[in-house]
Amino acid sequence: MGRPCSSSRFVSSSLNLRRFALAALVWWCVLAASLQAATAQRNAPPGQVKVRVGVILNLTSSIGQRRKVGIEMAVEDYYAAHPGSRTRVALRFRDSGGQVVGAASAAVDLIKNEQVQAIIGPATSAEAGFVAYLANSTHVPVLSSSATSPELSSAQTLFFVRTAANDSFQVAPVAAVLATFRWHAAVIVYEDSPYGSGILPALADALQGVGARIMERTAVPADADDDRIDAVLNRFMAMPTRVFIVHMNRFVAPRFFRRARNAGMMSEDYAWIVTDGVGSVVDALSPDEINAMEGVISLRPYVQMTDEVRNFSARFRARLRRVSPSADVYAHDSTVLMLWSYDTAWAIATAAEAADVSSPAFQTPQQSSALTDLGRLGVSATGAALLKAVHETTFHGLAGNFTLVDGQLQPPAYEVVNIIGKGARQVGFWTPEAGISQALDANAAKGLKPSIIWPGDVTSPPKGWVVSANGQKLRVAVPVKGGFKQFVNVAKDATTGVHNITGYCIEVFDAVMRKMPYPVSYEYVPIPNSSVSYDKFVSLLPEQKADIIVGDVTITASRMANVDFSMPFTDSGWSMVVAVRTETSTSMWIFLQPLTTSLWLASLAFFCFTGFVVWAIEHRINPEFRGTPWQQFGLIFYFAFSTLVFSHKEKLESNLSRFVVIIWVFVVLILTSSYTASLTSMLTVQKLQPTVTDVRELQRSGAYIGYQDGSFIKDSLRKIGFDEARMKNFSTAEGYAEALSKGPANGGVAAVFDEIPYLKLFLSQYCDGYAMVGPVYKTDGFGFVFPLGSPLTPDVSRAVLTLAEGEEMAQIEKKWFGEPGACPSQGGSAAVGSSNLSFRSFGGLFLITGVVSGLMLLIYLATFVYRERGEVRTVEEGGSGSSSVRRLRAWLRHFDQKDLKCPTFKTWNEESVREGSQTRRWVDDTVRNGRGGANSAVPATSDEEAIGMSPFSISAGSEMINAGSSPASEIGTSFEQRMQDAPHSAEMTLSGDA
């Protein structure tokens, strides 16, 4: 029995010994720090200037006591590190009691009685607001490390400095968290105080930037009882949204989450995001408070846990035990707020040294008539210099780099934590450069870590909303229509009284719901008389009389102000349908209509060009292309146009001209065939001409027009200038047909305006006698209607696009509207359009023939110049004009002569010789020698000039072969006549010689 007792005593003694050693170590650290501070104070220069700094804290709270200790340690540590400082900060503490009036009273006391040169605090934004304006009038800088409301800014209060992160900085990471999980709607719950409401404008802008909608904003008073909080939570439970953003301080938030846990809202499907008002002090929360917030995502400014921070934390806990033995000491007591308070005191000491401020001095107003102490406080003489030094102060503090921009601290990053277990677990970071990432590394994975534990102890992220908050089926309202029941048809069974709801819109919605990534339970609810006004029908959603509207509801801007629409599932736009009349053309000039003017002119030009090319190639070698100038001009046109009916009889001698004609005949074949087909169509096919083609024509004539009952078309027609008194409403396709067939003269209408889907359905039923004409006015088509901010909207829109990309949508349209293009009258625009053939249709053919003809002509001219270059003799003497002109005339005269070396003319000459024609030999000799004998009585005009004058012949006497040219009357003599007269002329010449 003795051994166990002795063993027990031994264990107890060991534990006591360890505790004693640990306590001794802590007391030694505290004693060393105190001795170091005392030594620094003893070694201080004798002429050191005291800088009085007031500190306003809520000393009745544990946080206020901790901040007091941290500020004192910061001043002691600064002068221990800078023993030779010329100035020394003397702290003056005042208790605000956590009240605005208390903070204001403390500030007045510090400025009036203590004549402080700077103030640290107060703790809350409400307290700091009044003190900041007071400092603005007294020029006493106020540095607060906990007043984070964006409503306080240095732009309005120049002497207010925020040595903490502005709350508006954290709205970007909050929005980034929502974007990470694709949450498109959220409810904001905030504390009803300047701290809570100050973040709302920036938060709204940030959420809008990521496509998230704020469904509701609810303020919770700081002193709200449980019943008030329960009422707020019950209203949230009735909403489909399950994402909540909470912005409260550490005193209000735990009570709110306790009530949320009791209401069952800390369970599956719920997502809670809390700002740094909780995340920055989560290590100081009690286990019960942490348990109430289990699964919450929170933010806090990131602070790197360096050796300096760990050393400060250990010294802080030791000193707190010594100063306040009853205070709670936490394992991680160096929260970011505590570190900011420490850096604030350090910054004041640094700025006071840099500014080299003098002793306190206030310029008290003389003979002031102020009734209170506020008007007699005066103005600090050192405030401006000290404020400037604070703004320029930079150092590496415990919380990171201390740098002020626009009078406030800039945090480098935010840490995303998951409140779970006994505290907070890091799940990611946010930086302005990289956004949300799993680590502070350039190569870190995007998004948050997958190890997040959500409310209800689930690991999969909530989708952020529920289909039905109360678990009931969604009420899908459908219109009861009198016409166009192919879209929505509500038929009631007379026996059972059950509604049978069918139609194109219904079938599309059912198909979309089958493609949703989660099941959606719904039931159709017919709405009588809904087709009278679709605007009133859509208002059922804002009035919460329905959850969804399905039907032929058009997406318009006015309706989108109150509801949300899915992506359209039909064609967009609206136009008009009119009656058509059968018409055949009887114009005497109808033969000109098959070709456009441009094609007629192009054809004429190419006819002339082709004839000229063939003449130029055949002129020197083919007798059929020679003759008088008028004969040759006529031949050019005659030959080209005779190819139009393939009646040309001229024999071609050159392969170049034959190739040109081959290509040209091919072009003519296609051109004539097309012309014949088009003219035949115009003469035999009846055309359907619309009775009205222009909207402005309807407005000028004042004819009656129609529209569908209950549609937005009526307002649109009135906006574009139609008189409402000239409008008639219809509800069925039969009514459209009857009114259009009667016409405005017989009590009908000239046109019916409606949306494209209705007009297509009408024309599919009434194939003959009607056509859709005129401009198409743009709308967004039919869409499914949801309440504003409904989380169903984006998922339904994606399902609509998925359905439209497949074959199922086409099958549904075919089922309800028939085969596309089945109506003969809708076969195309040829029934009412022009059938003229344009130049563009034959541009390729004309290009081919033009290139071929031009190329053959160039080849011939190049060959002619090369072969005949030695035969041309330029006549210089006796001529007029320049040498270039004379040379050109010589080439033209040579081109106009027959090419006697060609096979055609050689064969003809040989036949003449065999017949014994002495006269022909004489003519050939004359042509070959170019002139007659010296004593010849026969005119020396060449036979070529007399026989084959071309358009290029020169009639001037100086340019003839000799001075004795033939008379002008002889120029027009044909080749046959010259040959008949040749023997007679020869005989006369011989007899004369004899």
Side-chain angles (χ1 to χ4, degrees):
M1 296 296 294
R3 286 183 179 178
C5 292
S6 61
S7 176
S8 223
R9 292 193 189 95
F10 177 74
V11 173
S12 178
S13 299
S14 299
L15 291 175
N16 291 333
L17 181 61
R18 291 178 182 176
R19 290 174 179 173
F20 177 76
L22 182 60
L25 179 60
V26 171
W27 279 109
W28 182 83
C29 292
V30 173
L31 181 61
S34 301
L35 290 175
Q36 184 179 8
T39 302
Q41 186 173 4
R42 286 195 302 269
N43 295 335
Q48 200 172 48
V49 177
K50 287 187 177 182
V51 179
R52 300 177 185 178
V53 176
V55 183
I56 303 176
L57 298 172
N58 182 11
L59 299 178
T60 60
S61 66
S62 59
I63 293 180
Q65 296 173 2
R66 284 174 166 78
R67 288 179 179 173
K68 180 176 182 297
V69 173
I71 292 172
E72 291 174 340
M73 291 178 63
V75 174
E76 294 171 1
D77 291 348
Y78 177 82
Y79 291 111
H82 304 84
S85 299
R86 299 184 302 275
T87 59
R88 186 170 188 86
V89 171
L91 300 176
R92 302 289 189 269
F93 289 94
R94 293 294 185 274
D95 183 13
S96 67
Q99 301 294 325
V100 176
V101 176
S105 178
V108 172
D109 178 51
L110 288 171
I111 295 174
K112 179 183 178 183
N113 299 325
E114 297 290 346
Q115 291 191 340
V116 294
Q117 294 158 281
I119 295 176
I120 298 176
T124 66
S125 299
E127 298 174 21
F130 179 83
V131 176
Y133 281 101
L134 184 63
N136 208 38
S137 62
T138 59
H139 292 188
V140 175
V142 174
L143 288 75
S144 177
S145 61
S146 56
T148 57
S149 174
E151 293 181 349
L152 291 173
S153 65
S154 58
Q156 297 176 347
T157 53
L158 299 178
F159 283 81
F160 173 76
V161 179
R162 181 185 287 113
T163 56
N166 192 325
D167 281 338
S168 62
F169 292 167
Q170 62 182 321
V171 299
V174 169
V177 172
L178 266 70
T180 299
F181 296 105
R182 296 183 179 179
W183 294 329
H184 300 289
V187 174
I188 298 178
V189 190
Y190 60 96
E191 177 186 326
D192 192 4
S193 66
Y195 163 77
S197 61
I199 196 176
L200 293 182
L203 184 58
D205 293 340
L207 294 182
Q208 184 179 5
V210 298
R213 188 191 298 263
I214 299 176
M215 301 307 300
E216 186 172 338
R217 305 178 187 181
T218 302
V220 177
D223 57 349
D225 56 13
D226 292 346
D227 293 338
R228 177 74 177 273
I229 296 177
D230 290 344
V232 172
L233 295 174
N234 289 333
R235 189 169 70 255
F236 292 163
M237 292 178 65
M239 301 173 58
T241 305
R242 290 293 183 264
V243 178
F244 300 92
I245 301 173
V246 180
H247 181 57
M248 298 176 178
N249 62 42
R250 60 99 56 232
F251 301 106
V252 183
R255 291 196 302 113
F256 178 82
F257 279 102
R258 285 195 195 98
R259 303 311 303 172
R261 180 182 59 183
N262 294 339
M265 298 181 67
M266 299 301 296
S267 58
E268 190 177 356
D269 290 335
Y270 284 90
W272 298 88
I273 303 174
V274 184
T275 57
D276 64 357
V278 173
S280 298
V281 296
V282 67
D283 295 326
L285 298 177
S286 65
D288 181 64
E289 293 172 337
I290 292 178
N291 185 45
M293 290 186 284
E294 192 164 335
V296 169
I297 297 296
S298 185
L299 300 171
R300 62 186 180 191
Y302 173 68
V303 175
Q304 187 177 5
M305 192 58 61
T306 60
D307 293 337
E308 290 82 1
V309 174
R310 294 189 184 93
N311 180 34
F312 168 75
S313 181
R315 292 190 298 114
F316 173 78
R317 288 195 296 270
R319 183 161 179 167
L320 184 63
R321 289 191 185 95
R322 179 173 61 86
V323 174
S324 180
S326 61
D328 294 329
V329 179
Y330 310 114
H332 304 284
D333 217 334
S334 56
T335 62
V336 64
L337 296 178
M338 185 62 64
L339 299 180
W340 281 341
S341 298
Y342 181 95
D343 291 344
T344 299
W346 189 286
I348 279 288
T350 304
E353 185 70 19
D356 194 17
V357 297
S358 58
S359 299
F362 276 79
Q363 299 175 357
T364 305
Q366 300 294 330
Q367 298 178 352
S368 174
S369 59
L371 301 178
T372 63
D373 291 339
L374 295 178
R376 295 189 291 268
L377 292 178
V379 177
S380 174
T382 61
L386 186 58
L387 177 66
K388 182 175 182 297
V390 168
H391 281 296
E392 296 175 352
T393 298
T394 58
F395 60 91
H396 186 76
L398 295 181
N401 291 327
F402 185 93
T403 302
L404 298 176
V405 178
D406 295 331
Q408 56 191 2
L409 195 65
Q410 303 293 308
Y414 273 91
E415 186 179 7
V416 184
V417 296
N418 182 206
I419 300 178
I420 193 70
K422 297 182 179 180
R425 180 174 58 183
Q426 182 188 93
V427 293
F429 295 90
W430 178 89
T431 59
E433 299 79 15
I436 293 285
S437 59
Q438 297 184 7
L440 284 177
D441 186 1
N443 300 322
K446 298 296 182 180
L448 298 175
K449 296 178 181 178
S451 59
I452 299 176
I453 304 298
W454 299 94
D457 293 331
V458 295
T459 57
S460 59
K463 65 175 178 287
W465 59 278
V466 292
V467 175
S468 177
N470 52 17
Q472 298 179 355
K473 293 183 178 180
L474 295 178
R475 298 165 299 172
V476 180
V478 295
V480 178
K481 298 177 64 67
F484 295 100
K485 294 186 177 181
Q486 290 84 351
F487 292 96
V488 178
N489 183 26
V490 179
K492 186 177 182 180
D493 192 328
T495 305
T496 61
V498 178
H499 289 94
N500 182 26
I501 302 175
T502 58
Y504 170 73
C505 298
I506 302 300
E507 193 162 341
V508 170
F509 183 75
D510 291 337
V512 167
M513 290 296 105
R514 289 194 297 268
K515 293 186 178 296
M516 293 288 285
Y518 42 82
V520 179
S521 179
Y522 60 93
E523 61 181 356
Y524 291 112
V525 180
I527 306 298
N529 302 321
S530 54
S531 61
V532 175
S533 174
Y534 268 33
D535 290 334
K536 294 182 179 179
F537 180 44
V538 170
S539 65
L540 294 177
L541 294 184
E543 297 172 1
Q544 298 184 354
K545 296 180 181 179
D547 300 315
I548 307 174
I549 290 179
V550 172
D552 49 345
V553 182
T554 305
I555 303 172
T556 63
S558 60
R559 293 172 182 171
M560 290 189 70
N562 302 314
V563 295
D564 281 345
F565 284 90
S566 69
M567 292 290 293
F569 58 90
T570 62
D571 295 333
S572 62
W574 59 279
S575 186
M576 68 176 178
V577 64
V578 299
V580 296
R581 59 177 180 269
T582 303
E583 180 181 276
T584 56
S585 180
T586 58
S587 173
M588 61 181 296
W589 302 104
I590 190 174
F591 68 91
L592 296 175
Q593 295 181 9
L595 305 184
T596 60
T597 303
S598 61
L599 185 55
W600 277 115
L601 295 177
S603 302
L604 178 63
F606 275 89
F607 270 109
C608 298
F609 178 67
T610 304
F612 170 76
V613 171
V614 173
W615 172 85
I617 297 175
E618 295 288 332
H619 177 64
R620 300 188 75 246
I621 62 176
N622 195 335
E624 296 187 15
F625 285 84
R626 304 187 65 82
T628 64
W630 284 112
Q631 288 176 335
Q632 295 181 62
F633 272 119
L635 182 64
I636 290 175
F637 289 98
Y638 166 75
F639 178 83
F641 281 91
S642 65
T643 60
L644 190 64
V645 291
F646 310 105
S647 61
H648 51 285
K649 298 179 181 180
E650 290 77 10
K651 182 180 178 182
L652 302 180
E653 301 294 339
S654 174
N655 288 333
L656 297 178
S657 59
R658 290 169 182 168
F659 186 63
V660 170
V661 172
I662 289 173
I663 300 300
W664 174 244
V665 167
F666 176 72
V667 174
V668 168
L669 175 64
I670 297 177
L671 190 62
T672 54
S673 300
S674 302
Y675 173 85
T676 303
S678 179
L679 182 60
T680 302
S681 175
M682 290 183 177
L683 292 174
T684 60
V685 177
Q686 293 180 342
K687 294 193 296 181
L688 300 178
Q689 295 292 341
T691 55
V692 179
T693 59
D694 192 3
V695 174
R696 291 188 295 272
E697 181 183 347
L698 285 174
Q699 293 175 340
R700 287 193 301 266
S701 63
Y704 281 93
I705 59 174
Y707 65 93
Q708 186 178 171
D709 192 20
S711 173
F712 71 97
I713 300 295
K714 179 180 179 180
D715 294 333
S716 300
L717 292 173
R718 192 165 51 242
K719 289 179 181 178
I720 64 176
F722 282 100
D723 185 5
E724 186 175 353
R726 314 296 291 181
M727 301 181 191
K728 295 182 179 181
N729 61 320
F730 304 95
S731 59
T732 63
E734 293 79 6
Y736 285 5
E738 182 180 359
L740 289 172
S741 61
K742 288 182 178 180
N746 300 316
V749 294
V752 172
F753 290 85
D754 209 341
E755 297 176 73
I756 301 298
Y758 298 113
L759 297 183
K760 284 186 175 181
L761 178 59
F762 169 75
L763 293 174
S764 67
Q765 296 176 347
Y766 296 88
C767 293
D768 300 324
Y770 308 98
M772 184 168 59
V773 296
V776 176
Y777 300 94
K778 286 297 182 182
T779 58
D780 287 334
F782 297 162
F784 303 123
V785 194
F786 299 89
L788 277 176
S790 173
L792 274 173
T793 306
D795 292 335
V796 170
S797 296
R798 281 189 288 268
V800 168
L801 293 178
T802 303
L803 182 67
E805 292 173 356
E807 294 293 332
E808 188 175 0
M809 179 68 85
Q811 295 174 1
I812 296 174
E813 291 180 354
K814 181 179 178 181
K815 173 183 177 181
W816 291 101
F817 305 132
E819 192 73 31
C823 181
S825 65
Q826 305 304 312
S829 60
V832 294
S834 173
S835 60
N836 292 2
L837 301 175
S838 65
F839 174 77
R840 184 178 183 85
S841 304
F842 300 91
L845 288 175
F846 285 123
L847 178 64
I848 293 174
T849 186
V851 171
V852 170
S853 300
L855 183 62
M856 296 302 102
L857 180 61
L858 290 177
I859 293 175
Y860 171 75
L861 292 178
T863 305
F864 168 72
V865 172
Y866 179 76
R867 292 176 55 187
E868 304 296 330
R869 63 185 185 280
E871 299 293 333
V872 177
R873 297 290 184 268
T874 304
V875 181
E876 299 277 348
E877 60 282 358
S880 61
S882 63
S883 59
S884 300
V885 174
R886 292 196 300 274
R887 187 178 298 110
L888 177 60
R889 290 174 177 174
W891 275 106
L892 293 177
R893 285 197 302 270
H894 189 69
F895 174 80
D896 190 44
Q897 297 176 3
K898 291 187 295 185
D899 186 0
L900 300 179
K901 292 178 289 185
C902 72
T904 303
F905 291 112
K906 282 184 177 181
T907 302
W908 187 75
N909 289 339
E910 290 174 358
E911 291 176 353
S912 299
V913 170
R914 281 196 301 269
E915 293 174 359
S917 176
Q918 181 65 27
T919 305
R920 183 62 194 169
R921 286 197 304 271
W922 175 83
V923 173
D924 289 343
D925 291 341
T926 304
V927 172
R928 220 170 8 252
N929 295 331
R931 65 186 66 224
N935 299 323
S936 176
V938 179
T941 305
S942 68
D943 184 64
E944 177 64 22
E945 292 177 350
I947 296 175
M949 289 298 293
S950 75
F952 296 125
S953 298
I954 309 300
S955 59
S958 61
E959 295 168 357
M960 302 299 289
I961 295 178
N962 53 35
S965 299
S966 60
S969 59
E970 195 178 19
I971 294 178
T973 306
S974 65
F975 176 78
E976 290 79 2
Q977 292 173 339
R978 293 293 299 243
M979 294 306 300
Q980 292 176 1
D981 297 341
H984 178 69
S985 301
E987 292 176 359
M988 291 178 63
T989 304
L990 291 174
S991 62
D993 290 341

